[in-house]
Amino acid sequence: MTEHPNSHGRQRTAQVRQSAVPAPEPGRARAVADEPEGTRRAESPALGRLPGHDGPEPAPPRPAREPGAPAAAPRARARGEAHPEPGAPRPAVPRPGGPEAARGAAAQGGTDRGTAVPDIVGDGPERPASGGADGGADKGHAGTTGGERLRFVGAATRRIARGIDLDEIVLGLCRATVPTFADAILVYLRDPLPVGDERPVGPVVLRLRRTDQLPEHVRGLEDPDAPQDRAEPVPDLAGGAAERCEVRIGGPLAEVLRGVRPVFGDSSAARAALPELLGDEQDVPDRHRTILAPLRGRRRVIGAAVFIRRADRAAFEGDDLLVAAQLATHTALGVDKAVLYGREVYIADELQRTMLPDSLPQPTGVRLASRYLPAAETARVGGDWYDAIPLPGNRVALVVGDVMGHSMTSAAIMGQLRTTAQTLAGLDLPPAEVLHHLDEQAQRLGSDRMATCLYAVYDPVAHRIVIANAGHPPPILLHRGGRAEVLRVPPGAPIGVGGVDFEAVELDAPAGATLLLYTDGLVESRIRDVWTGIEQLRERLIDTARLTGPNPPPLEPLCDEVLGMLGPGDRDDDIALLAARFEGIAPSDVAYWFLDPRPQTAGQARRLARRALTRWGLEELTDSVELLVSEVITNAVRYAERPVTLRLLRTDVLRCEVGDDVPQLPRLRQARPSDEGGRGLYLVNRLARRWGATRLSTGKVVWFELALPGHAR
């Protein structure tokens, strides 16, 4: 062996290997010191070199210098050329790491998993050859240089950083580590993982998130002359580990995790901590072949990773603790990032879910279906919304709107406008007036809070629909016979412009027809304009209706077919879709009267209700209906100045509605024994299936429902 002084004045030893040095590859540098003729330079494999793999075949020797040729320069000597003849002056030996060594460095190639790479002689601290219990110098392993470790850490951290969710990050750590750095890895994470500044309550529990190790068999590389079909079994290093571990306060595992820095498995701290983490049954290799690395996030320890090497592979060195620390740090920060990202996605989903109806009502005379699609998976909140609001008289308000943008701000504005629309619908205001109040609300929210909206009210008794539009795409009506038409609704200006009047139109809503309300994300994209998309949507509805013939297509599959028209480049915006199938209420199932507010009106109402029940064959309900109608009519005529309305509707229930011109709503109260009144609503509450009162622009309506004979109450 040849000795050279290093930069600290210590003698550095280069171990003589029996194998030749592979030819340098482009892109990698080698600093070479002067060697006597006949010696060979030391070589180190890359991280993850399997035992017994001694690298490529020896390179053929270069021819000697011809007699009389000038002496070779040190740079040529570094490239492996012949030494000068005896007696020739020897050049000065460059100091490791000095400028001469840098100028004499040659390029060498990168590494791949499990492939040997030449060492950088003179780089890193002195590493004595392993021996003793490990069986002398490790076969196929002569230490890993600092440059190779830096390259490995850089590649591994880039792979870990590519993950965006928890599983991808943990998988990136495992794939980057096995078998390059270790033969097996076990990753434990806290369950549940804390988010942000949360302070978890209860004991700290670590749960095994993922394990990874070499396949069950590897080809026999111990002996190059052995048949290639012989396989050597690989010990199961990760199997049998405990799935769950509760960290005891003040215990050895808690102390190691608090220390943050990785430790060797044969250290006193790790010998006590590993059985607590992995279980008493798990057997891990000794003598620096196991590393326990805590995973520490931005604020607290969130888990632990265990790196294991087989007994026939070189043990971990001191610098490998630094590698494990870097891997653990980047993994923990990535886990923190994934947890925070998951929380943001959860918040966005919850915000969008709470601002859209969980389920649509199914009022008598109409069937409803809806769909909502965000613009993309990473932008799960937006300003599109839809709603269906039951109104007095079995009417229903249909609303579809679109706030500009797809951000959290747009979603917040959408929530305020949707709440305002529900409040205005509860007042039973006309559609044009509802849009007018929404416009005022949008202006109060800000100068640039703009939205489009379409508001429609369907009356199943009159088979009519009233529609008002504020800059929204027009609805499409699919008739029973398969004809689809774009309704002529005045477009109006968007909500938030201000100073614009909205106009409403009243149209026929025949039974069996389907009204389709949608946002512009369904019909407009970068590859087509809105009117082209509307025409394509109309044709799609016609084609779908042809499949069912004279009968209207089912509502839910119809919505899926409509969304099927979207192509790969059509998801530029959020999509809200609301479909309403008009069924109506037959005139024979409706009884309607105007009654003058007189003392005799209650008796007249009882007689009219009895006749209607007899015509419908509902004599069993006569006593209950007469009693409840009498109580409600009596309260109405006491304060009304205009005629009182009485309407009976026979659908899946019997519904009775009494309207008057008094806006004050009645309330249920407990009458005292000495009171002469106050018991009417108490009787209604006890006998009716449901009851309620709704304020109208012209007064109010008090209604109650009774279950039909043979139907569940």
Side-chain angles (χ1 to χ4, degrees):
M1 61 182 64
T2 306
E3 297 181 353
H4 301 290
N6 60 12
S7 58
H8 299 285
R10 294 185 290 107
Q11 296 297 323
R12 184 176 185 92
T13 303
Q15 184 177 354
V16 178
R17 295 284 307 272
Q18 296 301 320
S19 59
V21 179
E25 301 177 8
R28 301 283 294 272
R30 172 187 293 274
V32 183
D34 189 20
E35 300 174 355
E37 188 169 7
T39 64
R40 294 173 180 171
R41 290 171 289 180
E43 174 190 1
S44 296
L47 292 165
R49 179 176 182 180
L50 297 178
H53 186 56
D54 285 333
E57 294 294 332
R62 294 179 180 270
R65 183 177 55 86
E66 297 180 1
R75 184 186 301 268
R77 188 186 310 279
R79 292 195 300 266
E81 298 181 4
H83 292 278
E85 296 180 356
R90 296 178 59 85
V93 178
R95 294 167 58 88
E100 294 85 355
R103 287 192 300 267
Q108 65 181 9
T111 72
D112 195 1
R113 176 178 291 183
T115 305
V117 175
D119 192 9
I120 302 177
V121 179
D123 186 13
E126 180 182 359
R127 297 182 182 89
S130 58
D134 292 336
D138 183 62
K139 185 177 182 179
H141 184 86
T144 305
T145 67
E148 291 169 350
R149 284 190 173 89
L150 288 178
R151 286 188 289 272
F152 165 71
V153 171
T157 53
R158 286 193 299 269
R159 184 164 191 170
I160 294 171
R162 283 199 299 264
I164 193 172
D165 60 19
L166 194 60
D167 292 333
E168 290 179 352
I169 292 172
V170 176
L171 178 62
L173 171 65
C174 295
R175 291 292 184 264
T177 303
V178 178
T180 310
F181 181 69
D183 296 317
I185 183 174
L186 300 94
V187 182
Y188 283 81
L189 295 179
R190 290 180 67 161
D191 186 25
L193 282 166
V195 180
D197 295 330
E198 289 182 357
R199 291 187 175 273
V201 295
V204 176
V205 176
L206 299 182
R207 189 175 299 276
L208 185 61
R209 186 76 184 192
R210 187 178 182 89
T211 63
D212 203 355
Q213 60 181 346
L214 288 174
E216 294 183 359
H217 295 82
V218 294
R219 292 297 177 184
L221 299 177
E222 300 289 344
D223 186 4
D225 298 331
Q228 293 299 314
D229 58 349
R230 193 192 71 175
E232 294 291 338
V234 176
D236 188 4
L237 304 177
E243 295 287 337
R244 183 178 181 276
C245 167
E246 181 175 328
V247 181
R248 294 182 287 106
I249 299 177
L253 180 58
E255 294 299 323
V256 172
L257 297 181
R258 185 179 294 111
V260 176
R261 296 182 179 179
V263 294
F264 285 119
D266 56 355
S267 64
S268 58
R271 280 199 302 268
L274 283 175
E276 182 180 350
L277 177 65
L278 307 179
D280 297 331
E281 304 298 328
Q282 181 71 9
D283 186 21
V284 294
D286 56 0
R287 301 193 65 80
H288 285 199
R289 288 188 173 86
T290 303
I291 293 179
L292 173 58
L295 302 179
R296 183 174 181 83
R298 292 175 176 84
R299 299 184 182 274
R300 59 180 64 87
V301 174
I302 60 174
V306 181
F307 305 94
I308 305 175
R309 282 184 180 176
R310 303 194 315 268
D312 57 349
R313 183 176 176 179
F316 289 111
E317 301 176 356
D319 289 346
D320 291 327
L321 291 178
L322 302 178
V323 175
Q326 288 292 321
L327 297 177
T329 299
H330 286 276
T331 302
L333 294 178
V335 169
D336 266 358
K337 175 187 67 175
V339 171
L340 291 175
Y341 173 76
R343 174 56 63 90
E344 292 296 329
V345 172
Y346 170 77
I347 292 174
D349 288 343
E350 285 296 301
L351 177 63
Q352 192 71 58
R353 185 187 64 81
T354 55
M355 290 186 177
L356 294 176
D358 291 334
S359 61
L360 292 174
Q362 298 296 336
T364 302
V366 64
R367 292 291 177 264
L368 302 173
S370 64
R371 295 291 187 273
Y372 176 82
L373 293 178
E377 290 297 323
T378 56
R380 305 172 73 93
V381 293
D384 293 19
W385 91 91
Y386 62 90
D387 212 342
I389 309 167
L391 300 177
N394 284 85
R395 296 175 300 149
V396 59
L398 308 174
V399 190
V400 169
D402 183 4
V403 178
M404 183 173 54
H406 343 81
S407 62
M408 298 285 285
T409 302
S410 301
I413 296 173
M414 176 267 286
Q416 297 182 66
L417 294 180
R418 177 173 178 255
T419 302
T420 303
Q422 289 179 331
T423 303
L424 297 172
L427 299 177
D428 200 18
L429 298 178
E433 190 170 349
V434 170
L435 294 183
H436 174 73
H437 288 293
L438 286 176
D439 180 62
E440 292 180 341
Q441 175 66 13
Q443 293 180 65
R444 284 191 291 267
L445 295 176
S447 58
D448 57 346
R449 309 308 190 193
M450 299 181 63
T452 63
C453 182
L454 192 143
Y455 188 93
V457 175
Y458 169 65
D459 188 345
V461 176
H463 295 269
R464 304 282 288 178
I465 186 169
V466 181
I467 306 175
N469 191 5
H472 205 76
I476 298 179
L477 186 65
L478 178 63
H479 293 268
R480 179 187 288 271
R483 181 173 62 92
E485 64 171 328
V486 180
L487 298 182
R488 297 180 179 273
V489 180
I495 292 173
V497 174
V500 179
D501 292 332
F502 299 99
E503 183 180 354
V505 295
E506 186 173 357
L507 305 171
D508 288 330
T514 304
L515 182 68
L516 208 67
L517 309 180
Y518 52 91
T519 56
D520 58 356
L522 180 64
V523 294
E524 185 180 20
S525 67
R526 291 172 292 179
I527 61 177
R528 63 183 179 189
D529 61 85
V530 61
W531 289 107
T532 301
I534 291 175
E535 181 61 24
Q536 293 179 359
L537 174 59
R538 191 185 69 85
E539 295 175 355
R540 184 84 174 194
L541 292 174
I542 294 175
D543 295 339
T544 305
R546 289 174 181 169
L547 300 176
T548 57
N551 298 320
L555 206 55
E556 295 290 342
L558 177 64
C559 293
D560 295 333
E561 285 293 328
V562 167
L563 295 181
M565 66 176 285
L566 298 172
D570 293 343
R571 292 292 302 280
D572 300 331
D573 198 359
D574 306 322
I575 298 174
L577 175 66
L578 180 62
R581 173 71 46 77
F582 301 143
E583 296 178 349
I585 299 177
S588 59
D589 292 330
V590 181
Y592 192 84
W593 303 278
F594 287 93
L595 305 174
D596 293 330
R598 299 178 302 174
Q600 299 84 2
T601 302
Q604 182 184 4
R606 288 193 296 268
R607 290 191 300 270
L608 295 174
R610 188 185 310 115
R611 293 174 186 174
L613 295 177
T614 302
R615 186 172 69 251
W616 292 334
L618 301 176
E619 291 85 354
E620 299 179 21
L621 301 178
T622 301
D623 293 338
S624 299
V625 172
E626 286 186 358
L627 175 60
L628 299 182
V629 166
S630 179
E631 292 295 336
V632 177
I633 288 289
T634 300
N635 291 334
V637 301
R638 179 178 299 177
Y639 306 103
E641 297 180 356
R642 297 177 182 177
V644 176
T645 60
L646 172 63
R647 184 165 73 169
L648 297 181
L649 300 174
R650 183 187 65 167
T651 57
D652 53 345
V653 296
L654 179 67
R655 182 183 177 97
C656 176
E657 300 175 349
V658 176
D660 58 58
D661 59 351
V662 180
Q664 184 178 359
L665 299 179
R667 61 184 180 87
L668 184 65
R669 65 184 180 89
Q670 187 71 33
R672 293 173 297 182
S674 59
D675 292 342
E676 295 182 0
R679 297 175 180 85
L681 288 182
Y682 179 77
L683 292 174
V684 174
N685 185 62
R686 294 288 295 178
L687 298 178
R689 179 175 178 263
R690 289 195 312 156
W691 77 278
T694 305
R695 182 179 286 110
L696 306 177
S697 58
T698 57
K700 69 175 180 296
V701 169
V702 180
W703 56 269
F704 62 86
E705 293 177 353
L706 295 174
L708 298 180
H711 291 69
R713 179 179 173 85

